[in-house]
Amino acid sequence: MTDTEELDGATILANALKQQGIEYVFGIVGVPVIEVAMAMQTAGIKFVAMRNEQAASYAASVIGYLTRRPAACLVVSGPGLVHALAGASNAMENCWPMLLIGGSCERQQEGMGAFQEYPQVEYARNFCKYSARPSCLQRIPVFVEAAVRISLYGRPGVSYLDLPADMITAAVDSSSVVWCQKCPDSPRAHAPLEDIRKALQVLSAAHKPLVIIGKGAAYSQAEKELQHFLSATGLPFLPTPMGKGVVPDNHKQCVSAARSKALREADVILLLGARLNWILHFGLPPRFQPNVKVIQVDIHQEELGNNVRPVVALAADVKAALSQMSMELANSSNSYPFHHTELWWQDLNKAIDKNKKAINALSADETVPLNYYCAFSKITEILGENDVVIVSEGANTMDIGRSMIQNLLPRQRLDAGSFGTMGVGLGFAIAAALWCKETGGKKRVICVEGDSAIGFSAMELETVCRYKLPVIFLVFNNNGIYSGLDNDSWNYLQEDDMTLVAPPTALTPETRYDMVMEAFGGKGRLVRTPEELCKGFKDAMEDEDGAYLFNILIDPVATRKTQEFSWLTSSKL
């Protein structure tokens, strides 16, 4: 690059993104961002062309979770940006770093009713931590650096950058461009030592302690520190859905199978990067003890004390706080006697054994059409301890899958998350498959979908096949949302006005999602029996390069086993 070379806005943007370590951009091109996508590829950034901006934004967000550095989503102006705000809001609620980049109309046409004109910077501000338009071409890299840094620092989230069409195509002398160094990773905040000591004192004096592992612990990459801490203390732990795998689900101290009892009876809870929101029943009775003592660890100070006032608040990175705790234990082990939990463990183990027997009974029922537990048990047996990323979304499918499919490694469980978003599955799966390929391992991505959930982004199956991504899709097809109708009931309704008599939850019975996969060049399989599922899934797992979709027909009235507490606090299901 010579001093006299001219650079257009698209090239400056692409090079600035590359300087900041952006490796992936997901999006859909059109006027005015086609040149931007091409410039990104020229700069060595991988551009993944998607079929819907929502799925593209979901894909970009999950890269931030997996790597602690943001990916970008590139969209056209107006409706393109509006569609992508679904992924932006999902990333904000999940606290994942992400960049959203939108084209916009030429500046001289603003206020004239230009094509897809929209107040994008102002509108995006409601969904992001940072929303801006570069002041000039020369300072595009300054705005890119700020967008990346703000997405990473503090509570991670989304940054939006707006690029008008005339700024994309205009050019300036390269010597006038203000380039920026790559912003460092987010600094890890540590807690005051006196607070660490107080937390250990409260925790070691507990008779029924519990450690809750949130996805903040997974994002922090705190697995080594957490496993060391649990080994030193012998405390029982419960992972939230995306906290699964930070410590393996098959670890002897995991009490997921006694979740309700553990939450209801714990007298002290160490909350690691998890929020007391709907997923944890807000930390309130009757799901929790009225006088439960909470030790809260969170990087976001404003989160400390939401719904339940902690007895100790550690405004710190989870990885850093756990390291501090372990160091204090090693230096002063006699000051923190963890000797009060024997009876607690006896009670927990009784509940674990009881719940496992109930699950085993449901799993042993091989009646056709299949129930969820039987199908999941076959899948779990075949997965064994294979290195897989589990993507899951749906209603019954996701809820039951949370307890049936184990995660043994961190950040390899991706589901609807804090926002409860349906439609994330295929975008997540595409991003995870690209990440797996980048890491050089032989991880498989297993995307478990309800038949309603896959309908949100089913055209992304073409994206999977186009990029030859070895994703295995498992569609649990019960003909509806929560529940559906069998063929006879459905055909009976055909005689009336379906808009008046068809249940709002019902979908067409036995829809052939497997044939949709085949239409795009993948391998589709219709599954009715346990034998068909076992044989087909084994073959798919052995085919390291193939993309598969298994359309697993589930009894339309099959549902969750009776649970004392469901994930959705007010659910009647």
Side-chain angles (χ1 to χ4, degrees):
M1 186 181 298
T2 65
D3 289 342
T4 58
E5 181 183 6
E6 282 204 335
L7 299 176
D8 61 27
T11 300
I12 296 171
L13 173 65
N15 289 339
L17 291 169
K18 185 69 175 177
Q19 281 187 319
Q20 294 303 322
I22 304 299
E23 297 183 10
Y24 294 98
V25 176
F26 302 83
I28 298 177
V29 298
V31 176
V33 298
I34 297 174
E35 294 87 352
V36 174
M38 296 175 70
M40 289 171 171
Q41 290 179 314
T42 301
I45 297 172
K46 297 176 181 179
F47 183 81
V48 184
M50 306 285 282
R51 300 299 299 267
N52 182 281
E53 289 95 352
Q54 287 187 12
S57 58
Y58 295 142
S61 70
V62 89
I63 290 289
Y65 173 64
L66 293 171
T67 68
R68 287 179 60 91
R69 298 291 297 195
C73 176
L74 178 68
V75 297
V76 299
S77 50
L81 172 67
V82 171
H83 293 166
L85 291 174
S89 37
N90 188 67
M92 285 293 291
E93 290 299 314
N94 282 318
C95 310
W96 295 346
M98 170 185 154
L99 297 188
L100 180 56
I101 302 170
S104 58
C105 69
E106 295 184 12
R107 286 171 290 182
Q108 63 268 26
Q109 293 180 353
E110 289 179 341
M112 298 175 65
F115 176 66
Q116 295 184 336
E117 181 183 354
Y118 204 63
Q120 295 178 187
V121 175
E122 293 81 1
Y123 196 74
R125 191 168 285 120
N126 293 317
F127 299 84
C128 303
K129 290 181 69 179
Y130 175 76
S131 180
R133 171 187 288 180
S135 54
C136 60
L137 270 71
Q138 292 88 339
R139 291 182 56 81
I140 287 176
V142 176
F143 282 78
V144 170
E145 190 276 339
V148 171
R149 174 166 39 82
I150 293 171
S151 79
L152 288 171
Y153 285 23
R155 173 184 275 183
V158 183
S159 292
Y160 173 68
L161 288 176
D162 191 73
L163 270 296
D166 56 306
M167 187 175 283
I168 291 170
T169 56
V172 295
D173 193 287
S174 61
S175 63
S176 66
V177 179
V178 183
W179 298 105
C180 296
Q181 291 184 342
K182 180 180 177 180
C183 83
D185 291 342
S186 177
R188 293 187 182 273
H190 290 66
L193 182 57
E194 59 268 26
D195 290 342
I196 292 291
R197 288 172 174 165
K198 183 179 179 182
L200 288 172
Q201 288 167 359
V202 172
L203 195 59
S204 65
H207 290 271
K208 294 185 176 183
L210 179 66
V211 177
I212 296 180
I213 304 170
K215 66 175 174 293
Y219 178 81
S220 179
Q221 301 183 357
E223 49 270 18
K224 290 183 180 179
E225 291 77 10
L226 181 51
Q227 291 182 39
H228 183 270
F229 177 78
L230 290 171
S231 177
T233 59
L235 296 174
F237 72 88
L238 175 70
T240 62
M242 273 192 281
K244 286 165 61 69
V246 178
V247 182
D249 284 345
N250 59 6
H251 193 283
K252 64 181 180 180
Q253 290 164 241
C254 180
V255 294
S256 289
R259 178 182 187 272
S260 294
K261 183 178 183 66
L263 293 178
R264 183 178 61 242
E265 297 187 14
D267 59 357
V268 175
I269 289 174
L270 175 60
L271 192 66
L272 299 173
R275 287 169 283 177
L276 293 174
N277 56 18
W278 65 275
I279 292 178
L280 289 172
H281 314 296
F282 313 107
L284 299 175
R287 275 59 172 174
F288 288 75
Q289 289 281 351
N291 58 348
V292 64
K293 296 177 180 178
V294 175
I295 302 164
Q296 189 173 6
V297 184
D298 202 288
I299 59 172
H300 190 59
Q301 293 190 22
E302 288 85 345
E303 186 63 37
L304 299 171
N306 275 348
N307 297 323
V308 175
R309 179 65 55 188
V311 294
V312 185
L314 303 178
D317 175 84
V318 173
K319 183 183 180 81
L322 285 169
S323 180
Q324 289 179 278
M325 287 183 179
S326 292
M327 187 175 297
E328 173 64 17
L329 281 176
N331 294 335
S332 310
S333 58
N334 294 333
S335 302
Y336 310 106
F338 286 87
H339 301 314
H340 309 292
T341 60
E342 184 176 348
L343 292 176
W344 177 225
W345 267 114
Q346 290 177 9
D347 288 347
L348 289 171
N349 285 328
K350 287 179 183 177
I352 288 171
D353 291 342
K354 179 182 177 181
N355 289 335
K356 283 185 175 179
K357 287 179 182 178
I359 294 295
N360 290 339
L362 289 165
S363 300
D365 180 4
E366 297 191 356
T367 304
V368 176
L370 297 172
N371 71 69
Y372 289 96
Y373 294 91
C374 177
F376 270 120
S377 69
K378 303 303 180 185
I379 291 164
T380 302
E381 289 173 11
I382 294 166
L383 285 177
E385 295 191 1
N386 278 298
D387 186 0
V388 296
V389 177
I390 302 296
V391 179
S392 183
E393 64 172 332
N396 296 328
T397 300
M398 183 173 64
D399 285 348
I400 297 170
R402 282 170 169 163
S403 61
M404 293 293 292
I405 297 183
Q406 290 191 328
N407 282 85
L408 306 180
L409 294 168
R411 293 169 298 284
Q412 294 191 194
R413 168 85 194 193
L414 307 167
D415 70 13
S418 301
F419 212 23
T421 309
M422 289 296 103
V424 297
L426 276 86
F428 281 8
I430 289 166
L434 290 165
W435 173 73
C436 290
K437 186 182 294 186
E438 188 72 21
T439 57
K442 292 186 177 180
K443 297 182 184 71
R444 292 303 298 269
V445 176
I446 312 297
C447 186
V448 186
E449 297 277 314
D451 55 329
S452 170
I454 197 170
F456 283 80
S457 302
M459 281 301 293
E460 299 300 342
L461 292 172
E462 187 274 332
T463 309
V464 171
C465 294
R466 179 168 19 108
Y467 287 106
K468 297 181 172 59
L469 300 176
V471 181
I472 299 175
F473 294 92
L474 302 170
V475 179
F476 280 65
N477 186 354
N478 72 338
N479 305 340
I481 304 169
Y482 304 116
S483 62
L485 300 175
D486 58 28
N487 274 309
D488 290 342
S489 301
W490 183 260
N491 291 333
Y492 176 77
L493 294 178
Q494 300 290 315
E495 300 175 6
D496 297 306
D497 184 342
M498 294 290 284
T499 63
L500 296 175
V501 298
T505 60
L507 302 173
T508 305
E510 300 187 8
T511 298
R512 296 297 301 272
Y513 302 102
D514 52 302
M515 297 179 71
V516 176
M517 185 65 162
E518 290 179 350
F520 295 130
K523 299 173 184 178
R525 301 287 186 270
L526 180 66
V527 172
R528 294 183 184 274
T529 68
E531 294 76 18
E532 290 173 343
L533 177 57
C534 289
K535 183 181 185 308
F537 191 49
K538 283 180 181 177
D539 291 344
M541 286 295 293
E542 292 171 1
D543 182 0
E544 295 180 358
D545 299 319
Y548 288 79
L549 187 148
F550 292 88
N551 187 11
I552 307 168
L553 301 186
I554 299 295
D555 187 342
V557 298
T559 185
R560 295 189 284 259
K561 72 182 181 74
T562 301
Q563 295 183 9
E564 190 169 356
F565 302 136
S566 61
W567 285 96
L568 194 58
T569 303
S570 59
S571 175
K572 297 294 189 290
L573 298 171

